[in-house]
Amino acid sequence: MTEVHAAVGGPVPAQAAPDHDRPDGHAGEARVRELLGRMTIEEKVAQLVGFWEKEDGEAVAPLQGEFGDSTKLEDFARHGLGHLTRAYGTRPVDAVTRAAWLWKFQRELVTGTRLGIPAIVHEECLTGLSAWQAATFPTPLGWGAAFDPELVTEMAEAIGASMRALGIHQGLAPVLDVIRDPRWGRVDECIAEDPYLVGTIGTSYVRGLQSQGVLATLKHFAGYSASRAGRNFAPVHAGPRELADVLFPPFEMAILDGNARSIMHSYTEIDGVPVAADPTMLTGVLRDRWGFDGTVVADYYGVAFLNLLHQVAADHAEAAAQALAAGVDIELPTGDAYLTLREQVRAGTVDEALVDRAVLRVLRQKLELGLLDATFTDEPPRAVDLDSPQHRSIARRLAEESLVLVANQGVLPLPAGRRVAVIGPNADRQAALFGCYSFLNHVLVQHPGVETGIEVPTVLEALRAEFGADLVTAANGCDVDSDDRSGFDEAVAAASAADVAVLAVGDHAGLFGRGTVGEGCDREDLELPGVQRELVEAVLATGTPVVLVLLTGRPYAIGWALSRCAAVVQAFFPGEEGAGAIAGVLSGRVNPSGRLPVSLPGSAGAQPYSYLHPTLGEGNEVTNLAATAAAPFGHGLSYTTFAHTGLTVPATVPTDGALRVAVQVTNSGTVAGDDVVQLYGRDVVASVTRPVAQLLGYQRVHLEPGQTVTVELTVPTTRLAFTDRTLTRVVEPGDVDLWVGTSAQRDTEARTTLVGATVPVTNDSPRWTTAEIR
């Protein structure tokens, strides 16, 4: 058996272990079934719940204050424990000290409970391990903007290694919700508005994390991001075709191609049915259709919400029965509802076979993790570097690749010797670089006085280092989200005395109304929060060229700025190395290469909007309110230019085959740079309406000045599949327009024809476009 050796719990099965070594093999299955046969109902239910050791006043989950439990961990776990919730990420604790406590607790489970089964420890890890002093990487929107799956894998490997060293077995990431409305607060946790980009980047994260023996948890299955009017927890009214063709594919890819081992259900209800109580989703799609054999975990308090919010259950007991029957195996973060299963089984109102089904899945996972043989008699880590030079290097490279130069009137890069006024509420604020699920904004904000724990230069500090402190002046101007204009005069004076004004504006990520973006921080409009636009207007009025730097977790309606500002740089919460990356782009040390993973909206009134719209979604002359984006999906400028020529496609392709597309890419400018080659397609005539553009494949390529390469993309025809009128996913014959460009807008075009019979899509159908550069 191929093994990687972990810091705790003995050997961890490698991701690609042979079938006979998987826990569902004969020996492993016999073992877990024998163990199940010896368990009491109390011991069974104990494996299906988590425990969260939290203090009053700590609020990092929705309606957390509604759930109070004074039970001590030792009493709660006397029959065992399925999951230990957020051992490191609930408050700022020293990792080595906490690891010593964790090892001791796990030893007590091994020696002090009848069956001796350790707990799975899970933690948030969306922008890095959510722990004090741990590296914080760009937010997932930044991953999408980088269009670099290999670098995302490298990041996830580093995150997973840190987690495993600390005895953490499961990470609550990645988020595979496809962005449908930028007003939704959790856009900052998402990767893109295109399901293929979400699927490839998200699956790459899964592969990296799980290569280190840490289970990835896909969030949030499914439909959460399609909430009505962009409101968190709002109902979803997506039809089966939108679910199948837009919202499901990233999860399908991560399961079938990434072997993701855990799924978290969505909080939402779809057409009146809460996902947490929907067996057609959690069993029918996940297990029966895709063959998923991992565990389904509840989003925090999601089972109890069947009673409290959805009101499809009269009490927590009925909620538990519905969720268990639907296919939720583990209740997180605690056992508010599932602990009622003990009495329900005894009373005969819940079939014990459903409990056994879930327990077997948990035991198989613990066997897979090596936990059934773990003794925790080894020493916990005595020293751990959670923000090593390797972490910083990855964070820097990903931050640099994620920055999108949206507009440039020739002012960037800034020549040396210019006097620079750095203005705006995000210019000198560490939190401006991080998303909602970063440790700083998620946890540390509730512990004032505790130091950040990692080195985080602000934009102002980075620009002083880049251009010289004597050439850089600063003014705050205003807050992120208030109507205080008292700093405008100072900002205008600073800009007037400078050669260029850099305005760092945008968001503050937070939770449940404590920020302008983040979980529970939705927006009614897409204007810059507070009086930030007024600040920009005041500085523009000075006549000093303005470089607008957007540090945000969502795209804002900034079409007005694209022509009036000298340059616009979009940074989607670029992490601990983000300020240095921004400074590098402004100076020209870094040639920007990010591409928009989501359209820049024209207005809030045009939402929800996606570049994947059919012809009627564009508006044009049929309505007085066009839905045109201010900048399209895939857009991004460079300090060099790229030419795409010689696009070749086959005249015909079998409907069960692959399109082999080649294009020549030339760096026609004077500096080295990265191009993101984007291949789009459109089904010209189909049995149901299809998008006017659809990303079929992409490839990042580095080119020296004057260099030409040929990029060959092999596109399985299933990239053009859709759900037909019988609700079957198929590839239909017919004409397909193809183009390669710098965004979803058409550039170098060609046409091919799919020939043959209509072909149904199966689990064995290829889903990935491959690329070769020569």
Side-chain angles (χ1 to χ4, degrees):
M1 179 177 177
T2 304
E3 296 174 345
V4 292
H5 291 277
V8 62
V12 179
Q15 189 175 4
D19 289 343
H20 62 82
D21 284 326
R22 288 284 302 276
D24 54 349
H26 296 304
E29 186 66 12
R31 182 179 182 187
V32 297
R33 287 188 176 275
E34 187 277 334
L35 185 55
L36 176 70
R38 293 191 285 120
M39 298 174 83
T40 65
I41 187 60
E42 285 80 10
E43 290 166 334
K44 291 177 181 178
V45 172
Q47 294 299 314
L48 305 184
V49 299
F51 184 88
W52 197 2
E53 189 180 43
K54 57 189 186 297
E55 298 174 356
D56 291 342
E58 295 171 338
V60 293
L63 275 68
Q64 187 173 319
E66 299 293 318
F67 299 90
D69 190 347
S70 59
T71 306
K72 298 296 183 184
L73 175 57
E74 295 75 13
D75 296 331
F76 190 93
R78 66 186 183 277
H79 298 296
L81 183 64
H83 273 240
L84 186 64
T85 295
R86 302 200 65 180
Y88 294 89
T90 300
R91 62 189 67 91
V93 293
D94 176 75
V96 171
T97 302
R98 191 61 169 169
W101 172 88
L102 179 59
W103 258 247
K104 179 176 181 291
F105 169 70
Q106 295 279 40
R107 281 196 303 272
E108 290 170 353
L109 283 178
V110 171
T111 61
T113 60
R114 189 174 73 90
L115 298 174
I117 304 172
I120 291 174
V121 181
H122 75 256
E123 191 52 80
E124 299 285 359
C125 57
L126 187 65
T127 59
L129 170 60
S130 182
W132 190 47
Q133 298 181 319
T136 306
F137 300 92
T139 202
L141 267 175
W143 314 349
F147 279 79
D148 192 341
E150 291 79 13
L151 185 53
V152 170
T153 297
E154 189 178 346
M155 175 191 67
E157 288 171 348
I159 295 170
S162 294
M163 296 174 76
R164 192 68 198 185
L166 293 176
I168 302 167
H169 310 101
Q170 184 164 336
L172 303 187
V175 172
L176 299 185
D177 295 303
V178 178
I179 296 168
R180 304 300 280 167
D181 191 329
R183 294 173 297 178
W184 188 51
R186 301 194 78 168
V187 165
D188 94 295
E189 301 174 48
C190 301
I191 295 169
E193 71 180 69
D194 179 85
Y196 181 66
L197 184 57
V198 176
T200 51
I201 297 292
T203 301
S204 298
Y205 181 98
V206 169
R207 289 170 171 168
L209 196 73
Q210 294 193 163
S211 73
Q212 303 303 304
V214 176
L215 309 180
T217 305
L218 311 182
K219 298 161 60 172
H220 307 85
F221 186 75
Y224 192 18
S225 57
S227 59
R228 180 168 284 185
R231 266 52 172 179
N232 196 38
F233 274 72
V236 169
H237 293 276
R241 191 166 289 105
E242 182 179 355
L243 284 168
D245 293 348
V246 178
L247 301 174
F248 283 174
F251 294 93
E252 181 183 25
M253 294 175 72
I255 291 168
L256 296 178
D257 303 321
N259 191 30
R261 307 304 301 138
S262 186
I263 307 286
M264 178 177 280
H265 76 73
S266 167
Y267 279 135
T268 199
E269 57 192 59
I270 301 176
D271 198 22
V273 180
V275 174
D278 189 355
T280 62
M281 291 273 284
L282 301 183
T283 298
V285 175
L286 279 181
R287 300 191 186 276
D288 297 342
R289 185 187 306 176
W290 295 336
F292 174 69
D293 63 353
T295 55
V296 175
V297 302
D299 203 344
Y300 283 14
Y301 307 116
V303 177
F305 287 162
L306 295 174
N307 165 221
L308 296 176
L309 295 180
H310 299 290
Q311 298 171 355
V312 296
D315 51 31
H316 284 9
E318 191 175 328
Q322 289 188 31
L324 184 68
V328 177
D329 301 309
I330 302 162
E331 184 183 14
L332 298 180
T334 59
D336 296 280
Y338 270 23
L339 288 178
T340 67
L341 293 171
R342 297 175 298 201
E343 295 307 317
Q344 292 195 80
V345 168
R346 287 195 176 97
T349 56
V350 168
D351 187 348
E352 190 168 0
L354 291 175
V355 174
D356 291 352
R357 179 181 73 174
V359 173
L360 280 172
R361 291 169 181 164
V362 174
L363 294 178
R364 290 180 189 124
Q365 202 145 78
K366 290 190 174 185
L367 178 64
E368 180 180 348
L369 288 163
L371 282 171
L372 295 189
D373 295 310
T375 62
F376 291 88
T377 55
D378 58 325
E379 287 294 319
R382 296 182 179 276
V384 59
D385 188 350
L386 301 178
D387 192 27
S388 69
Q390 178 201 17
H391 290 95
R392 304 294 304 204
S393 173
I394 297 169
R396 175 185 54 78
R397 285 180 283 141
L398 188 53
E400 290 175 352
E401 290 188 2
S402 73
L403 297 181
V404 183
L405 181 58
V406 183
N408 187 17
Q409 310 299 329
V411 71
L412 293 182
L414 295 176
R418 291 293 181 92
R419 295 171 298 162
V420 180
V422 183
I423 298 167
N426 282 345
D428 197 26
R429 200 169 60 86
Q430 289 182 329
L433 299 164
F434 300 133
C436 170
Y437 267 74
S438 65
F439 189 79
L440 189 149
N441 285 327
H442 200 70
V443 177
L444 209 56
V445 67
Q446 300 182 71
H447 298 269
V450 178
E451 62 182 19
T452 303
I454 55 176
E455 182 181 349
V456 185
T458 66
V459 172
L460 174 61
E461 290 167 343
L463 289 175
R464 282 175 171 161
E466 192 81 21
F467 293 102
D470 57 327
L471 293 173
V472 176
T473 57
N476 190 58
C478 65
D479 300 321
V480 169
D481 196 20
S482 78
D483 59 1
D484 183 0
R485 300 170 178 82
S486 59
F488 277 26
D489 289 345
E490 182 185 9
V492 166
S496 299
D499 297 315
V500 64
V502 174
L503 264 69
V505 299
D507 277 320
H508 170 63
L511 287 164
F512 314 121
R514 299 197 296 267
T516 58
V517 73
E519 185 172 359
C521 296
D522 312 313
R523 302 293 292 185
E524 289 186 339
D525 63 50
L526 291 174
E527 291 292 333
L528 290 173
V531 294
Q532 292 184 79
R533 177 170 176 176
E534 292 182 39
L535 174 66
V536 179
E537 299 276 5
V539 175
L540 282 169
T542 67
T544 300
V546 170
V547 176
L548 189 66
V549 176
L550 296 153
L551 286 152
T552 71
R554 63 159 58 86
Y556 280 98
I558 48 97
W560 55 272
L562 297 184
S563 59
R564 297 177 59 200
C565 292
V568 176
V569 176
Q570 174 66 64
F572 292 114
F573 292 145
E576 64 186 19
E577 290 283 340
I582 291 169
V585 165
L586 298 192
S587 71
R589 175 174 52 82
V590 174
N591 191 350
S593 60
R595 303 293 185 264
L596 291 175
V598 60
S599 308
L600 287 189
S603 70
Q607 306 310 311
Y609 171 89
S610 167
Y611 93 97
L612 292 166
H613 60 263
T615 299
L616 286 186
E618 292 187 318
N620 298 329
E621 69 274 7
V622 300
T623 174
N624 65 318
L625 296 176
T628 308
F633 173 88
H635 169 73
L637 304 177
S638 170
Y639 294 148
T640 189
T641 54
F642 298 100
H644 305 114
T645 58
L647 178 64
T648 61
V649 303
T652 62
V653 178
T655 50
D656 61 353
L659 295 80
R660 288 174 174 81
V661 178
V663 65
Q664 288 187 330
V665 185
T666 300
N667 181 344
S668 51
T670 59
V671 296
D674 285 11
D675 186 25
V676 177
V677 178
Q678 303 167 51
L679 174 66
Y680 293 89
R682 181 184 186 184
D683 201 332
V684 178
V685 176
S687 59
V688 299
T689 61
R690 300 296 296 136
V692 296
Q694 176 186 354
L695 182 68
L696 299 181
Y698 62 90
Q699 179 62 44
R700 176 178 279 267
V701 56
H702 179 79
L703 294 172
E704 296 297 320
Q707 183 181 3
T708 297
V709 298
T710 298
V711 177
E712 296 181 346
L713 298 167
T714 301
V715 185
T717 54
T718 44
R719 288 290 306 113
L720 290 159
F722 59 88
T723 301
D724 68 8
R725 297 191 187 193
T726 69
L727 297 182
T728 304
R729 278 183 62 79
V730 299
V731 178
E732 287 184 348
D735 291 339
V736 176
D737 285 341
L738 301 170
W739 65 96
V740 170
T742 56
S743 72
Q745 293 180 343
R746 295 199 181 205
D747 192 352
T748 305
E749 296 186 59
R751 177 170 286 193
T752 188
T753 302
L754 303 185
V755 296
T758 297
V759 178
V761 175
T762 70
N763 289 353
D764 296 327
S765 299
R767 283 164 290 277
W768 290 63
T769 294
T770 58
E772 182 179 350
I773 302 171
R774 58 178 176 81

